[in-house]
Amino acid sequence: MTLRAALRSKSAFSGLLSQLSSCSSHGRVCVSPVLVAQRRNNSTSPKIKVDFDQSTGVAVMHMQSPPVNSLSLDFLTELCIGVEKLEMDKSCRGLIITSSQPKVFSAGLDILEMYGKSPESCGEFWKAVQEMWLKLYSSNMVTIAAINGSSPAGGCLMSMTCDYRIMADNPRYSIGLNETQLGIVAPFWFKDTMLNTVGHRTTELALELGLLYNPSEALKIGLVDKLVPEDQVLTTAAQTMTKWLAIPEHARQITKSMMRKPTIDKLTSNREADIQNFVKFITKDSIQKSLRMYLEMLKKRKA
Ligand code: CO8
């Protein structure tokens, strides 16, 4: 069964998860020998590579989907399964997300998943986008985005789900929610995530104008927390992780939940309506036209 098919089928997905954990007591999940063996070898899947260091309790998730780590349905499915596995393993306490692609952290949602697709496909895709956000934003692990390249739109959203963001200090890179530039609208939970990160007025300007910020600007508005030379992004993330992991875990987790739960609840209580809204919006002729023009612009810019 493919990963995508596994996620599609709820029972198969729980079957997959039950293979990962053979027992659960007092809220602690025991990890099966199969998973432990995989982990020792560092699990590798086509679009995501996870290196988990048992001695530090920190996993590094490398996004490795050429050319630009765009968030396709397959990519999101792998990512969600990867995060779920780590979340269930109580020996994993921290997650660093980074990119193996040169110059790009993630180009955001895969536009080809939203262009020329049936309403059913769009709905399935959007459910996976919601799932990625819910898993990362509500994670009990300490999460750090090691942003070693540009990170527009959904890439910025993914970074903002993390507890801390470290970006490469390269003025050619940019980050932000640029949806309006594509003629589309960032949904309320994208908006809320940004609002929780940089405040109301900055979010209003950023979203209406579809602003992409260079690293210095992003640091100034608090969209990222630290800039470092490109070759130090991962090491700085690891050092920062050590500091975060020194905080008493239970207190940190409850505090994170207190800060984020109202935003998470807003989506969980409206998931189906949000999917319907997305499908209705994205399949409109005018929106499809905007996406086509944007794709053409990307191609022209390359030429
Ligand atoms: N989806 C699909 N394909 C993409 C995407 C993408 N998001 N981004 C780039 N590509 C493709 C390009 O078309 C190009 O394809 P090809 O090789 O076939 O010509 C290839 O990837 C390489 O792209 P570039 O040559 O542009 O690569 P660079 O390294 O020069 O630049 C960038 C990398 C900066 C990431 C650049 O590609 C870029 O700006 N991409 C567009 C990013 C973007 O605007 N993403 C927005 C996606 S929408 C989203 O995430 C939220 C939507 C919320 C929906 C709400 C509706 C209700």
Side-chain angles (χ1 to χ4, degrees):
M1 177 180 295
T2 63
L3 289 174
R4 184 198 288 205
L7 194 61
R8 236 186 242 146
S9 148
K10 201 174 165 233
S11 59
F13 187 47
S14 21
L16 181 69
L17 293 180
S18 67
Q19 278 173 33
L20 302 177
S21 58
S22 55
C23 64
S24 173
S25 61
H26 310 295
R28 304 277 303 177
V29 175
C30 304
V31 177
S32 77
V34 175
L35 181 59
V36 171
Q38 274 177 1
R39 195 168 289 127
R40 281 200 193 109
N41 295 334
N42 291 328
S43 67
T44 304
S45 54
K47 297 178 194 311
I48 307 273
K49 180 163 92 72
V50 179
D51 290 327
F52 178 51
D53 183 341
Q54 292 271 6
S55 66
T56 58
V58 178
V60 181
M61 186 172 265
H62 303 264
M63 299 184 283
Q64 50 176 28
S65 181
V68 289
N69 288 330
S70 60
L71 308 177
S72 64
L73 180 57
D74 286 340
F75 184 101
L76 290 164
T77 305
E78 273 187 39
L79 188 135
C80 286
I81 290 177
V83 173
E84 181 91 30
K85 276 187 192 177
L86 297 170
E87 199 77 60
M88 289 180 71
D89 178 352
K90 295 301 170 199
S91 67
C92 181
R93 299 172 58 221
L95 171 64
I96 295 170
I97 303 178
T98 194
S99 166
S100 299
Q101 299 311 124
K103 301 187 291 179
V104 182
F105 180 74
S106 165
L109 304 193
D110 193 319
I111 299 167
L112 298 173
E113 296 278 14
M114 303 184 280
Y115 178 68
K117 292 282 165 119
S118 68
E120 292 71 30
S121 305
C122 291
E124 189 185 6
F125 173 62
W126 197 245
K127 196 173 180 182
V129 179
Q130 289 179 337
E131 198 64 33
M132 180 260 312
W133 181 82
L134 287 168
K135 283 213 164 18
L136 288 174
Y137 206 50
S138 68
S139 175
N140 271 326
M141 295 179 284
V142 174
T143 52
I144 295 182
I147 311 167
N148 50 351
S150 287
S151 195
C156 175
L157 180 77
M158 187 196 283
S159 308
M160 288 191 298
T161 62
C162 293
D163 295 300
Y164 200 79
R165 284 161 287 287
I166 296 161
M167 189 169 187
D169 193 5
N170 181 335
R172 287 195 301 194
Y173 298 160
S174 62
I175 182 167
L177 294 182
N178 60 325
E179 278 77 358
T180 53
Q181 301 262 9
L182 286 74
I184 56 180
V185 179
F188 71 89
W189 41 286
F190 283 47
K191 177 266 293 172
D192 286 343
T193 313
M194 186 166 216
L195 204 141
N196 294 347
T197 309
V198 298
H200 195 281
R201 179 59 182 150
T202 303
T203 300
E204 188 169 54
L205 285 172
L207 290 188
E208 286 194 39
L209 297 171
L211 294 177
L212 286 171
Y213 301 89
N214 68 35
S216 304
E217 294 164 339
L219 181 69
K220 200 167 160 200
I221 63 164
L223 184 54
V224 299
D225 299 296
K226 194 172 194 136
L227 301 185
V228 293
E230 193 148 356
D231 60 354
Q232 290 170 29
V233 173
L234 256 185
T235 47
T236 308
Q239 286 158 5
T240 308
M241 181 62 82
T242 308
K243 285 189 197 151
W244 278 71
L245 291 181
I247 304 294
E249 189 151 349
H250 197 52
R252 182 195 56 72
Q253 286 172 348
I254 292 173
T255 305
K256 180 172 180 175
S257 170
M258 183 174 68
M259 294 300 293
R260 296 185 173 197
K261 193 169 181 302
T263 308
I264 291 164
D265 288 348
K266 248 168 101 179
L267 179 62
T268 44
S269 57
N270 281 297
R271 270 190 92 167
E272 199 45 49
D274 182 61
I275 293 173
Q276 296 311 323
N277 277 342
F278 170 76
V279 172
K280 197 170 157 203
F281 179 79
I282 211 74
T283 52
K284 279 184 183 162
D285 287 346
S286 56
I287 302 303
Q288 288 290 305
K289 192 174 162 206
S290 294
L291 290 178
R292 179 168 50 78
M293 285 164 59
Y294 191 75
L295 281 166
E296 281 167 7
M297 183 279 289
L298 281 177
K299 293 246 178 275
K300 262 195 214 135
R301 201 184 55 170
K302 198 173 177 183

